[in-house]
């Protein structure tokens, strides 16, 4: 992006208590410089591309992981094909060592294909990595590894919180608050090259005739460049555009919901159900439902139940896992009928 973006706030020496009390509670993205500076993997990443590649190859157990390959003409940008009926990359399943071999081979090309391992569960392919590189801020969250050459993931959101740690290379993050959704021109919700819905705007060369409101989005952009040892906290539903800038880039990330009894992708499931049940209603009815949702979901939760005896709060009260399970079973039965 050529427009001047605001730098993402930065901190260092983050403790778990400070992270939970101040950072997560604030609900804003933040760069945590040097968070994983003592990781053995990071030390190899800072040493050289060859050193981190040897480190990963030595720990690779041969399990195939998801990989993609882009033609050099795509300039590393993950996207749709020209007809938008498919994507601009080839999918494959390869061990990490094979992907690293491709990265090394293409490093000699003047115009190289882009190659990457995408969201590989570390426990499955690099189990020794877990014992050697510990996340100091979280317990019980399974990390994933992202490895590739110069590649760009378009702006998208995750419906979970995210800590992303740079192990090797450099990554540039450009973030937008959730309310910028109307200015980012989001593509199909259920057909996207990254799995999550993406912005259709090419940030490197925006087409303002087609996407005029993107000018407004750029005015609210937050950006940061991270190197080995640095991490970024991205709250759920914040849009993030990620550029890997070197010939070899390695990132480890941690997704977690931060809530109890909330199933995977429950927010997106709720949105999908609303789209198929409410979006087709007349405008007046949609407005009425908006008022209901504002009152019970997005407004003052305590005020919405203050006049009801606590023993009668039901679904409006504190929900146990068993209560949620039973209600989901009822909803599933209604959907089937």
């Amino acid at each position: 992006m050529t427009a001047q973006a605001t730098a993402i706030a930065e901190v260092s020496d983050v403790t778990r208590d400070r992270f939970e009390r101040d950072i997560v509670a604030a609900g804003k993205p933040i760069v945590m410089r040097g968070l994983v500076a003592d990781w053995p993997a990071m030390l190899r990443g800072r040493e050289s591309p060859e050193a981190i590649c040897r480190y990963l190859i030595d720990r690779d157990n041969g399990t195939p992981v998801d990989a993609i390959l882009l033609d050099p003409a795509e300039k590393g940008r993950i996207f749709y094909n020209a007809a938008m009926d498919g994507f601009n990359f080839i999918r494959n399943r390869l061990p990490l060592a094979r992907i690293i071999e491709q990265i090394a081979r293409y490093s000699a090309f003047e115009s190289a294909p882009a190659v990457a391992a995408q969201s590989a569960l570390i426990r499955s392919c690099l189990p020794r990595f877990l014992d050697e590189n510990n996340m100091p801020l979280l317990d019980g969250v399974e990390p994933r590894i992202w490895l590739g050459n110069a590649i760009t993931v378009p702006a998208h959101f995750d419906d979970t919180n995210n800590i992303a740690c740079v192990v090797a290379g450099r990554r540039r993050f450009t973030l937008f608050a959730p309310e910028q959704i109307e200015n980012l021109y989001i593509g199909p919700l259920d057909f996207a090259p990254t799995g999550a819905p993406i912005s259709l705007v090419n940030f490197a060369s925006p087409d303002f005739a087609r996407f005029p409101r993107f000018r407004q989005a750029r005015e609210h952009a937050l950006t940061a460049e991270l190197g080995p040892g640095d991490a970024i906290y991205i709250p759920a539903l914040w849009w993030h555009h990620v550029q890997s800038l070197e010939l070899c880039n390695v990132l480890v990330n941690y997704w977690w919901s931060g809530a109890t009894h909330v199933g995977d992708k429950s927010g997106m499931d709720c949105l999908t159900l609303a789209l198929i049940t409410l979006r087709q209603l007349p405008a007046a009815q949609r407005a009425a439902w908006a008022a209901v949702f504002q009152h019970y979901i997005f407004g003052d939760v305590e005020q919405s139940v203050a006049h009801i005896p606590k023993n009668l709060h039901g679904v409006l009260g504190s929900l146990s896992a068993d209560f949620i399970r039973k209600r989901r079973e009822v909803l599933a039965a209604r959907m089937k009928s």
Side-chain angles (χ1 to χ4, degrees), residues 87-273:
F87 308 132
N88 68 343
F89 52 82
I90 298 171
R91 293 188 188 274
N92 207 341
R93 295 274 297 173
L94 297 169
L96 278 177
R98 289 280 306 281
I99 299 169
I100 291 171
E101 290 172 4
Q102 291 182 332
I103 294 171
R105 183 167 67 252
Y106 293 145
S107 67
F109 287 34
E110 183 175 348
S111 179
V115 60
Q118 297 286 93
S119 187
L121 192 63
I122 289 178
R123 184 175 300 280
S124 297
C125 59
L126 299 167
R128 285 173 55 195
F129 189 102
L130 297 176
D131 296 328
E132 298 169 345
N133 303 276
N134 178 58
M135 162 50 63
L137 304 181
L138 301 169
D139 290 321
V141 180
E142 292 284 357
R144 296 174 178 270
I145 191 167
W146 307 69
L147 181 150
N149 51 14
I151 202 161
T152 297
V153 180
H156 64 288
F157 74 77
D158 302 312
D159 55 4
T160 54
N161 298 323
N162 186 10
I163 295 179
C165 307
V166 174
V167 173
R170 293 178 300 124
R171 268 180 165 80
R172 181 178 298 124
F173 290 81
T174 304
L175 273 58
F176 303 87
E179 56 265 27
Q180 286 301 313
I181 184 171
E182 65 179 0
N183 297 324
L184 291 173
Y185 297 91
I186 306 306
L189 295 184
D190 46 7
F191 180 64
T194 62
I198 66 168
S199 170
L200 299 184
V201 182
N202 184 347
F203 283 23
S205 181
D207 182 348
F208 291 115
R210 183 181 177 193
F211 307 118
R213 294 193 307 277
F214 185 64
R215 293 185 188 275
Q216 296 171 251
R218 295 206 306 179
E219 295 176 0
H220 298 276
L222 303 175
T223 189
E225 187 172 301
L226 277 62
D230 296 332
I232 184 171
Y233 167 63
I234 304 175
L237 303 185
W238 274 71
W239 299 93
H240 47 289
H241 176 275
V242 187
Q243 295 170 275
S244 302
L245 303 174
E246 303 287 353
L247 294 176
C248 178
N249 306 274
V250 181
L251 179 139
V252 171
N253 89 297
Y254 301 78
W255 282 313
W256 83 104
S257 70
T260 57
H261 311 320
V262 178
D264 290 342
K265 301 187 178 178
S266 59
M268 285 300 294
D269 290 344
C270 182
L271 176 61
T272 300
L273 184 58

Side-chain angles (χ1 to χ4, degrees), residues 6-25:
T6 302
I8 299 172
E10 299 185 6
V11 294
S12 57
D13 301 321
V14 178
T15 63
R16 180 177 298 208
D17 180 67
R18 182 184 179 190
F19 177 70
E20 295 174 351
R21 183 191 66 238
D22 299 334
I23 295 175
V24 175

